[in-house]
Each structure stands twice: as structure tokens, then as C-alpha cells.
Amino acid sequence: GNVVLDFVDKLMTKEGFAMYRYMDDICLVVPSERRARIGLMNLTKYLRELGLGVNSAKTATLRVGDKALQELIEDEDPEIDSIEAAVGKNTRKSVQSVVELLFRKATALVEERRFTEKAFRFCLNRITSFRVYKNLELPAGSELTTAVLRLLVDHPDQSDTYCRYLEVAPFTEQHTAELSRLLTIEPLLVYPWQGYLLWKIAAKRRVKSRELTTKAHSLIASNPSEFDSASAAIYLGATGDYADRQAVAKSARFVATEIGSRCFNIGIQELDGPARRDCYDRASRRSLRSRILVEHLSGLHKPTYVEEPQLAKDELPDAMPSLYA
């Protein structure tokens, strides 16, 4: 997103607009309504050159004093400021000093059910980056993980943030059972991209059950081009036996999407040479990206299905957007 929209950033700045952007959320600060309309017109024109457009339902002109504007520019939480200041010092000691404050704040937000606030997203993102750093003493946070698993149904729009957290959070047996339930029988988990994220978590954690394996086979057989089918193929490759991986290879020929093809080829890494080579040859003819993936997979010393995130201390401050992701 940042690479694609850099073109728009530079054109708007060249025209004298104070433009602030996080991913695809854009804000123009202007002195008058007339200038705002000109800015919106130019922004729309430049976006159209990229095949994009503004979302009219989310576009508004706000004046000084508007309640909606005040909510956007309100003072930051002093506890968040303290945490970020400690992280910014880039020392283990300073980061460790705010761990208790961070978890206490996250727990309080859960108890007050303030899940939609940016402060809650901040807490999850910071806890995630701390766990990825792997050089801190952190509490298990079991109650927080329980709440996040429940939020996948209640607030699916934040699933990216929740799943980044779940990738690295310590799991209890109850959490593992809930992950399995979400993937197999939860009727309200209706978005395939949620399944895509959760199947990868199940693969990474090697969560294995007959119910999950049966569900994964059903997905790759019925519609292998769906998002959740793609990562179900990774799950079968990571946790299954040879017959499971043969089923992935059989369904791979019917995958119509690029991401699906990549996932299915990741899922067959432990097939024997001839069976794997047939799928890899077909993928290599598909696109340059697929050919690069096949070469990478062929050169691995051991099968890798979901990479382990790693983070150095000096990367902590910018590990992920703290407030808005």
C-alpha cells in the first residue's frame, strides 16, 4: 500500500496540501472548505490513475470544533505515552519496566469491554511485538487471549490484529480447543480471510485433531481457490501424514488464484520427489513469483510451513503500528 500510494503522496504534497496517510486512510488539513473540495477532487483524480477510488461513505469534511474531529485529535493516553517512551529507548531494561503497566492496561480494557478503542489495539500490538522479541519476561495473559479468541466473532473487522497476537500468545488447552471450535463449527465465523489467518495459526502451533483434519480436507476438495482452503492446505502439510499431502497435491491442479497456488505448494513439501515435482513444474509455469517460491522451497534444509517471526531490540519501536493497526 505504501509503495503504490507514494505516487499520490508526492503529487498532493507538490500541490501544497498537508496530507497525512496511514496505509489507505488519508487526511488532508486545509484552511477552508473550498481548499478541501479542491484537495478531494485532485486526490480522487490521482487515485483513479491507479485504478483506485475514495470510499464516499467514509469521506467527510470536518471543521474545527466538530465532535468527530475532536475525537481524532484528542490527547493521547499518558500510560500509552509512557510505554512508547520506554520502547523508544531501545534497551531491554526500559522495555521490561513497562511490561506490567502494559498488561494491566490491557486487562482493564477487557474488563471494561472497551474492545473497539485504539488503546486496546495498541496493547495487543505492543504485547505482540514484545513476545516476538523473545528477550523479555512476560506474563501468560491467559484471560486476554481468551477475550481475543471471542472477539474474532464479535468484531471480525479487527481479525488481522487479533491473529497477529494469537500467533505468539501462549495457549492453554482451552485456547487450543477454542481455536479448533472456531475453525470447525462456529457458525458466525463467515469470512474466508479469517479462516485463512486461523488455519495458519493452527499449522504453526501443530494443533491436530480428527475434526480439524476432516474440515481441512473438506475445504480443499470443495473449493480450493478460497482463502481458507489455501491455508487449510498448509495446515494439512504441516500436521498431516503422507496421504493428507497427496490430497493437497491432487486438489492443487484446480486452484485458480495465485495465493492459493502458493499455499498448496507449501503444503506438499514433504511429498517424495516425483509427486512434488509435478506440482512444482505446473506452478513454475504459472508466474515468476510462483517459480521463485518453488526454487525457495526446493532449497530449504527442512520443511517450513509458517515462518517464525523474529525481532531485534532496535526494531521494537517500529515493529508494527502501535495505535491504529
Side-chain angles (χ1 to χ4, degrees):
N2 286 329
V3 172
V4 171
L5 292 175
D6 181 66
F7 160 81
V8 177
D9 297 342
K10 289 177 179 176
L11 286 175
M12 294 297 289
T13 301
K14 185 178 180 180
E15 293 186 5
F17 288 97
M19 182 171 126
Y20 302 88
R21 180 175 62 80
Y22 169 69
M23 296 300 285
D24 62 348
D25 288 330
I26 298 173
C27 177
L28 299 179
V29 180
V30 292
S32 65
E33 184 175 353
R34 179 178 182 277
R35 185 67 173 161
R37 292 182 180 276
I38 293 173
L40 180 59
M41 180 180 67
N42 291 349
L43 178 62
T44 302
K45 179 178 68 174
Y46 297 142
L47 288 173
R48 283 176 178 167
E49 292 181 23
L50 298 174
L52 303 172
V54 297
N55 185 332
S56 59
K58 296 182 178 180
T59 303
T61 302
L62 303 178
R63 294 181 174 82
V64 175
D66 283 358
K67 182 179 179 181
L69 180 59
Q70 293 304 313
E71 291 176 352
L72 290 173
I73 63 174
E74 64 186 1
D75 292 337
E76 294 294 353
D77 188 316
E79 292 181 323
I80 289 178
D81 290 342
S82 296
I83 294 168
E84 291 297 81
V87 171
K89 292 179 180 178
N90 282 349
T91 68
R92 181 187 180 282
K93 183 178 179 180
S94 65
V95 176
Q96 185 68 58
S97 70
V98 294
V99 166
E100 182 181 351
L101 171 61
L102 176 60
F103 275 82
R104 186 169 65 245
K105 186 171 188 64
T107 301
L109 291 168
V110 168
E111 291 174 349
E112 297 166 13
R113 302 191 63 77
R114 294 163 59 188
F115 304 121
T116 61
E117 295 185 17
K118 63 182 181 181
F120 184 66
R121 296 194 297 277
F122 163 83
C123 289
L124 290 186
N125 282 330
R126 268 291 162 246
I127 290 172
T128 300
S129 63
F130 285 5
R131 291 205 188 280
V132 173
Y133 175 41
K134 297 185 185 302
N135 198 26
L136 298 169
E137 296 177 10
L138 304 175
S142 294
E143 292 182 0
L144 180 60
T145 302
T146 299
V148 170
L149 284 164
R150 187 167 56 246
L151 288 171
L152 286 165
V153 173
D154 296 340
H155 298 283
D157 58 306
Q158 299 297 327
S159 291
D160 287 358
T161 297
Y162 300 153
C163 288
R164 280 197 299 266
Y165 168 88
L166 293 171
E167 276 191 33
V168 294
F171 264 34
T172 65
E173 290 184 7
Q174 289 75 19
H175 296 147
T176 299
E178 176 62 8
L179 174 62
S180 180
R181 189 192 70 81
L182 287 168
L183 285 170
T184 55
I185 62 174
E186 172 53 62
L188 298 181
L189 200 68
V190 296
Y191 299 107
W193 54 269
Q194 286 181 290
Y196 173 79
L197 297 171
L198 290 174
W199 279 111
K200 288 207 302 180
I201 293 172
K204 179 181 177 182
R205 293 181 174 275
R206 297 296 199 272
V207 178
K208 189 170 182 178
S209 70
R210 179 177 297 179
E211 292 78 16
L212 278 172
T213 300
T214 300
K215 180 69 174 182
H217 275 286
S218 173
L219 287 171
I220 69 168
S222 61
N223 195 346
S225 294
E226 286 287 347
F227 276 127
D228 49 357
S229 302
S231 55
I234 292 179
Y235 171 80
L236 288 172
T239 67
D241 56 21
Y242 199 84
D244 294 319
R245 295 172 190 127
Q246 283 181 314
V248 172
K250 182 179 179 180
S251 294
R253 66 182 68 246
F254 303 109
V255 176
T257 62
E258 180 77 19
I259 191 171
S261 175
R262 290 171 64 84
C263 290
F264 273 74
N265 281 291
I266 290 171
I268 63 168
Q269 290 175 78
E270 295 183 74
L271 285 180
D272 60 32
R276 189 173 64 247
R277 196 175 304 117
D278 179 57
C279 288
Y280 283 0
D281 287 346
R282 190 164 54 248
S284 295
R285 294 191 296 270
R286 184 186 188 99
S287 69
L288 175 61
R289 290 180 62 188
S290 294
R291 186 159 67 249
I292 293 171
L293 172 70
V294 166
E295 292 173 357
H296 172 72
L297 293 173
S298 300
L300 291 175
H301 295 297
K302 64 178 182 179
T304 301
Y305 293 95
V306 182
E307 290 188 341
E308 187 74 22
Q310 296 180 344
L311 195 65
K313 179 181 62 183
D314 57 356
E315 295 174 310
L316 266 175
D318 301 314
M320 60 182 66
S322 302
L323 291 174
Y324 301 105

